[in-house]
Amino acid sequence: MHSDEGSLNKSLSDLYVLLDQDPKQAIVKVSELNQLFLHPQPSSRLWYELKIIEARAEIKLGLYQEAKQHLYQLESYLPVMAQFSEAPALIKLLLAQIEQNQSNIESSFTLLEQALSLVPKELVALRSDILHAQARGLRYKARYREAEGVVKDAISLVEPINDQARLGTYYNQLGVIYDYMGSLQLALRFHEKSLKIQRGLQNQQGISNSLYNIGEIYRDMEKLSKALLHFKQALEVDKSLGDPIHIANSHGKMSQVYLQLGEVEQALTHSQIGIELARSSRSNSDLAWQLSILAKIYVAQDALTQALSVAQEALSLAITAKANRTERTVRLVIIEIELVQGQYAQALAEIDQVLTLPGVGNSYLAKLYQYRAQALEKLGEFESALHSLHQYIEVKAALYQDLDKQQALTMRQNVEFIRQEQALKLIQNEQALQQASLENLKLQRGMGVSLLLCFMAIAIYIYKRQQQKQKYVELEADMMAESLSQKNRLLADVSHELRTPLAALKLTVEAMQHNIEPDPVKGFEKIQKKISHLDNLIKDIYQSAQFDNDVLTLDKQPVDVNLLITEIVEEFQPMYATKLQSLRFSACANNSLCFVDPARIRQVLFNLLRNSHFYTSSEGETQIHFESHEGHMELIVEDSFPGVAEQELEKIFERLYRCEGSRSRDHGGSGLGLAICQQIIRAHGGNVSASHSEMGGVAISLYIPFEEVRSDS
């Protein structure tokens, strides 16, 4: 009890980590530490934190009554806990979370308003948590625009302090909101950003949430195999953490996918598990959603009476919980049942009622227009049915428009590459034909001249001709041999680079296939890492070939290079922090507007900073110096130990070159990064060089000429 403050903070920090990874074990550890206190000690930081951790763990495990008792106990001690300024607001926030989990949305809003009025201004992280909880409640009530604004306010609070854990959670929330609004591309982008952060933090619950929500997007896009894979992974993580609501939701999503795949028995099994867990958690909203899935299963089994009974129960629960989104989901199921029963007029009335509700997303709109077209067709109102069908097609097209654009762009890029490659071959063939014609013409002229000369002149001509021809053949053979040698070396290097991740990928897949891999989640992470490695290598080889063939063009424009570098440095700070490395930028004091291609300069800096991060030792340092002069800019990226040997400084820009010693490549890169940097700078008319850094590492210097850009341009 008299341990120093440093030990106390470390113990509490370890407990909070355990809370995220294994809430059951966190409760066990808290119970052990609580034995140190014979009586409540509200003035003790340790006693107070243990109560908070215990309540949080119980909420995660669905033990809501136990959590409430601990929070009410803490609330009764608030008069003697003035030193804990966050306590009043934090207790209200945790009580609000319990109310939300039990579908008591209105009471949760009241508690959150109280929490906002109690939180001190300087506690921005806690304020952001309260806003995030408010956004979640607004989402339940299908007030998506309001929820979007509130969660963006929460993000704006934690971005300046670079709170990665909260950013990952808030990005996930924003992704869910965009999914409900029908903006699939935005939703997928924020879920992927969240998943990247959660993987970096090894936050299992965050990883599960992102996998779950990405799976839902794939389900909306009818990519069912991918959706099922994501839901299975999410379920495994949820089971290890023990939150009954999360486990129930994952079972529910798997039930939906199996039903879409026509595997009704599998769907029923997962649905029953989800319903049982939702009932035990006393969450009316979650139970209503689970029952709506069961009703659809009954429809698939032609048990329409049971389906309608279950759907009516689900609707009653959703209305009681004031869960607007769940209510709409249930009403869609009732409409489906009425269509199957042939009650077309009643179905149309239900559809018109749902269409009047605010905040209906594109996914719902598409289904409503589809169902209305079916009902109108059955009633013989063919013109109205055709109009509804057109509305369905328009909404469905809007739903996929952004994603289709991305896929079309990728396809166009691939087609353009093939087209340009074919054009290059045609040019080469035409040049060869012209060369052959020229040689033939020279030969004909030589033969005409030889007819006018004497025998000796003819012999001398033929002799010299043969000499020249022999030299040409030898030179051509030497050039072909050298070209073939370079090609073979490049192919050997590329083959080696591809073979290494492919071999590791094959081993991982075989291990999972034969159930040798103990942790499937880590196995899938290994597979994803190797696929990303292969993808990066192929992209770099493709891009390097484009530069060689002068296929790519630069999009030069006035760019504030100071601002560009600052943005890139901010993006890399979390990566450098993982190795306790520092990344510093010395901005240009002069006019920093330069006429360059911003995307290509960003690519150069990304490659240089990524290399510096990987090859610099832990707790090392990387510095960026930027100067802008009249007509040119100079940029230096240098790092600390280790460096490279003198003879290797010029070779590091060669494709697939491996440095010896501590800076040899073993970080999943392609070995083409510095070569591509050199190609980009040369395309700008500049040059790049490497030298020893005074900090003990390598300094890469860039020189780029450009037309001067005035600050008022």
Side-chain angles (χ1 to χ4, degrees):
M1 294 304 299
H2 298 283
S3 61
D4 60 89
E5 186 175 352
S7 299
L8 174 61
N9 289 336
K10 185 179 185 307
S11 299
L12 290 174
S13 177
D14 291 343
L15 267 177
Y16 275 108
V17 171
L18 189 61
L19 175 65
D20 287 332
Q21 296 177 349
D22 191 346
K24 291 181 181 177
Q25 190 62 27
I27 290 180
V28 173
K29 292 293 184 183
V30 168
S31 299
E32 293 174 359
L33 290 171
N34 274 332
Q35 294 177 9
L36 297 172
F37 300 96
L38 298 177
H39 305 286
Q41 295 186 20
S43 61
S44 164
R45 164 64 69 175
L46 178 60
W47 182 87
Y48 161 71
E49 293 283 2
L50 289 176
K51 290 298 177 186
I52 292 295
I53 292 171
E54 190 170 24
R56 287 183 183 273
E58 287 166 344
I59 293 172
K60 285 176 176 287
L61 295 171
L63 305 173
Y64 301 131
Q65 289 305 119
E66 293 86 341
K68 281 185 177 181
Q69 289 175 4
H70 286 110
L71 292 171
Y72 289 149
Q73 181 188 18
L74 275 176
E75 203 167 35
S76 68
Y77 288 117
L78 282 178
V80 292
M81 293 169 58
Q83 70 272 35
F84 308 133
S85 59
E86 77 282 2
L90 179 56
I91 292 170
K92 295 292 185 185
L93 170 61
L94 295 177
L95 288 170
Q97 289 176 349
I98 295 172
E99 294 300 308
Q100 281 188 351
N101 290 348
Q102 294 187 311
S103 302
N104 301 322
I105 306 302
E106 295 301 329
S107 58
S108 75
F109 275 135
T110 302
L111 288 165
L112 290 171
E113 288 296 333
Q114 294 172 358
L116 275 179
S117 66
L118 294 171
V119 64
K121 291 182 179 180
E122 65 273 12
L123 299 181
V124 293
L126 179 56
R127 180 176 293 274
S128 71
D129 286 339
I130 298 169
L131 292 175
H132 174 254
Q134 280 190 328
R136 186 179 177 215
L138 290 168
R139 195 187 83 203
Y140 286 155
K141 296 180 73 65
R143 291 156 60 179
Y144 303 131
R145 285 296 178 192
E146 294 177 63
E148 178 192 12
V150 173
V151 78
K152 282 184 176 179
D153 289 341
I155 290 172
S156 69
L157 288 175
V158 295
E159 275 184 335
I161 60 176
N162 197 27
D163 189 331
Q164 290 294 297
R166 286 183 168 83
L167 280 175
T169 301
Y170 302 165
Y171 286 152
N172 182 69
Q173 174 81 281
L174 198 55
V176 174
I177 293 168
Y178 284 132
D179 182 16
Y180 290 172
M181 292 168 67
S183 302
L184 294 187
Q185 186 185 7
L186 275 175
L188 193 57
R189 192 178 86 190
F190 279 100
H191 284 317
E192 288 175 343
K193 287 177 69 173
S194 174
L195 183 58
K196 182 178 179 181
I197 291 175
Q198 302 295 7
R199 279 179 171 165
L201 297 172
Q202 292 297 305
N203 183 343
Q204 295 303 308
Q205 186 61 71
I207 291 172
S208 171
N209 293 342
S210 295
L211 289 171
Y212 176 93
N213 291 317
I214 292 173
E216 177 64 4
I217 293 175
Y218 280 127
R219 193 181 73 86
D220 289 341
M221 296 166 61
E222 297 180 359
K223 296 183 177 180
L224 301 181
S225 59
K226 285 190 175 181
L228 191 60
L229 178 63
H230 281 73
F231 290 141
K232 283 181 177 179
Q233 287 182 257
L235 178 59
E236 290 303 315
V237 179
D238 291 336
K239 285 180 178 179
S240 68
L241 296 173
D243 188 326
I245 292 297
H246 287 153
I247 297 172
N249 288 342
S250 292
H251 276 294
K253 288 299 178 184
M254 289 181 66
S255 177
Q256 286 181 316
V257 176
Y258 277 125
L259 184 59
Q260 287 176 271
L261 291 169
E263 300 180 29
V264 180
E265 291 303 319
Q266 283 270 46
L268 183 59
T269 299
H270 286 284
S271 174
Q272 289 170 340
I273 297 172
I275 290 171
E276 183 179 349
L277 289 168
R279 285 193 190 277
S280 64
S281 300
R282 301 178 183 177
S283 173
N284 287 343
S285 174
D286 290 295
L287 179 57
W289 177 69
Q290 295 283 355
L291 289 172
S292 72
I293 299 170
L294 180 61
K296 295 192 73 169
I297 294 172
Y298 283 145
V299 171
Q301 294 177 329
D302 290 328
L304 299 182
T305 303
Q306 289 176 279
L308 188 59
S309 174
V310 170
Q312 293 292 354
E313 180 188 356
L315 182 61
S316 176
L317 289 169
I319 293 173
T320 302
K322 298 183 179 180
N324 296 349
R325 175 175 169 78
T326 306
E327 179 186 343
R328 293 170 191 175
T329 300
V330 177
R331 289 191 182 278
L332 275 179
V333 176
I334 292 175
I335 291 168
E336 291 175 18
I337 296 171
E338 290 171 344
L339 288 174
V340 175
Q341 290 178 327
Q343 299 176 9
Y344 304 120
Q346 193 169 339
L348 281 174
E350 285 279 357
I351 292 168
D352 290 338
Q353 181 180 351
V354 178
L355 283 171
T356 60
L357 299 175
V360 178
N362 284 341
S363 297
Y364 280 115
L365 278 177
K367 291 179 182 177
L368 288 170
Y369 289 139
Q370 182 184 20
Y371 292 158
R372 188 164 69 175
Q374 292 176 9
L376 289 169
E377 181 188 3
K378 294 294 183 181
L379 292 172
E381 301 179 24
F382 300 113
E383 186 174 346
S384 298
L386 184 61
H387 177 66
S388 292
L389 191 58
H390 282 306
Q391 289 176 308
Y392 164 73
I393 293 171
E394 289 174 3
V395 174
K396 202 73 173 178
L399 191 63
Y400 295 113
Q401 185 176 16
D402 289 339
L403 291 173
D404 286 343
K405 283 181 180 178
Q406 287 296 110
Q407 293 173 356
L409 177 60
T410 302
M411 184 179 293
R412 283 199 302 271
Q413 289 173 341
N414 293 336
V415 170
E416 181 65 14
F417 173 69
I418 295 170
R419 184 195 66 76
Q420 291 174 346
E421 185 179 45
Q422 186 64 24
L424 180 61
K425 289 181 180 178
L426 289 173
I427 292 171
Q428 290 172 341
N429 291 339
E430 185 178 349
Q431 289 176 342
L433 182 61
Q434 290 175 351
Q435 184 66 26
S437 299
L438 182 60
E439 291 294 330
N440 191 31
L441 180 60
K442 287 181 180 179
L443 183 59
Q444 289 177 358
R445 286 179 178 176
M447 290 175 63
V449 172
S450 65
L451 292 174
L452 302 175
L453 300 175
C454 65
F455 178 77
M456 186 61 70
I458 294 173
I460 293 171
Y461 173 78
I462 294 173
Y463 173 75
K464 290 184 177 181
R465 180 73 178 175
Q466 288 298 327
Q467 270 192 329
Q468 291 176 350
K469 200 169 186 180
Q470 182 64 28
K471 288 181 180 179
Y472 176 76
V473 169
E474 289 175 356
L475 179 61
E476 187 179 40
D478 290 341
M479 292 177 65
M480 288 183 65
E482 178 61 22
S483 176
L484 183 61
S485 176
Q486 290 179 356
K487 176 184 175 183
N488 288 338
R489 285 199 301 271
L490 181 61
L491 286 175
D493 286 338
V494 170
S495 299
H496 175 76
E497 294 296 324
L498 290 172
R499 190 182 300 115
T500 302
L502 278 173
L505 183 62
K506 180 181 179 183
L507 287 174
T508 304
V509 171
E510 288 177 351
M512 296 187 69
Q513 183 179 6
H514 299 290
N515 296 321
I516 300 174
E517 173 62 46
D519 189 342
V521 175
K522 288 185 178 179
F524 281 114
E525 289 177 354
K526 291 178 185 176
I527 291 173
Q528 183 64 35
K529 183 177 180 181
K530 293 303 176 185
I531 291 174
S532 298
H533 182 181
L534 285 168
D535 184 53
N536 290 334
L537 176 59
I538 292 168
K539 284 180 181 176
D540 284 349
I541 293 171
Y542 165 67
Q543 192 172 67
S544 182
Q546 286 183 308
F547 275 109
D548 284 348
N549 296 325
D550 291 327
V551 174
L552 292 181
T553 58
L554 297 178
D555 181 20
K556 292 185 179 181
Q557 52 187 277
V559 179
D560 187 342
V561 179
N562 270 344
L563 180 59
L564 177 65
I565 298 174
T566 300
E567 292 174 351
I568 295 171
V569 168
E570 289 176 355
E571 292 178 32
F572 270 85
Q573 289 290 4
M575 178 188 292
Y576 274 68
T578 60
K579 292 177 65 176
L580 303 180
Q581 296 169 334
S582 62
L583 176 59
R584 296 186 176 88
F585 167 45
S586 300
C588 175
N590 304 326
N591 178 19
S592 63
L593 281 178
C594 303
F595 196 72
V596 293
D597 185 334
R600 297 301 175 194
I601 298 302
R602 173 181 285 271
Q603 184 179 1
V604 169
L605 284 168
F606 261 70
N607 283 343
L608 294 180
L609 291 180
R610 184 176 180 274
N611 276 4
S612 183
H613 165 69
F614 282 140
Y615 298 136
T616 303
S617 59
S618 297
E619 301 184 2
E621 181 178 1
T622 301
Q623 292 187 1
I624 306 173
H625 309 278
F626 167 58
E627 290 292 335
S628 175
H629 305 283
E630 184 175 353
H632 73 274
M633 60 174 274
E634 296 175 2
L635 196 150
I636 300 174
V637 178
E638 59 178 339
D639 54 35
S640 57
F641 181 86
V644 299
E646 182 69 30
Q647 63 271 22
E648 293 179 329
L649 283 176
E650 290 302 322
K651 295 181 180 180
I652 63 176
F653 296 103
E654 294 178 8
R655 282 182 284 202
L656 301 173
Y657 178 75
R658 295 177 180 269
C659 289
E660 295 296 327
S662 59
R663 292 181 79 98
S664 63
R665 174 164 36 88
D666 188 22
H667 298 280
S670 67
L672 296 168
L674 290 178
I676 290 173
C677 290
Q678 185 183 58
Q679 290 170 314
I680 291 174
I681 299 303
R682 286 180 175 175
H684 278 80
N687 57 63
V688 56
S689 62
S691 61
H692 297 297
S693 169
E694 294 181 358
M695 299 164 60
V698 178
I700 306 295
S701 302
L702 312 177
Y703 172 88
I704 302 176
F706 56 84
E707 298 175 5
E708 187 176 4
V709 182
R710 298 187 180 275
S711 60
D712 60 349
S713 61

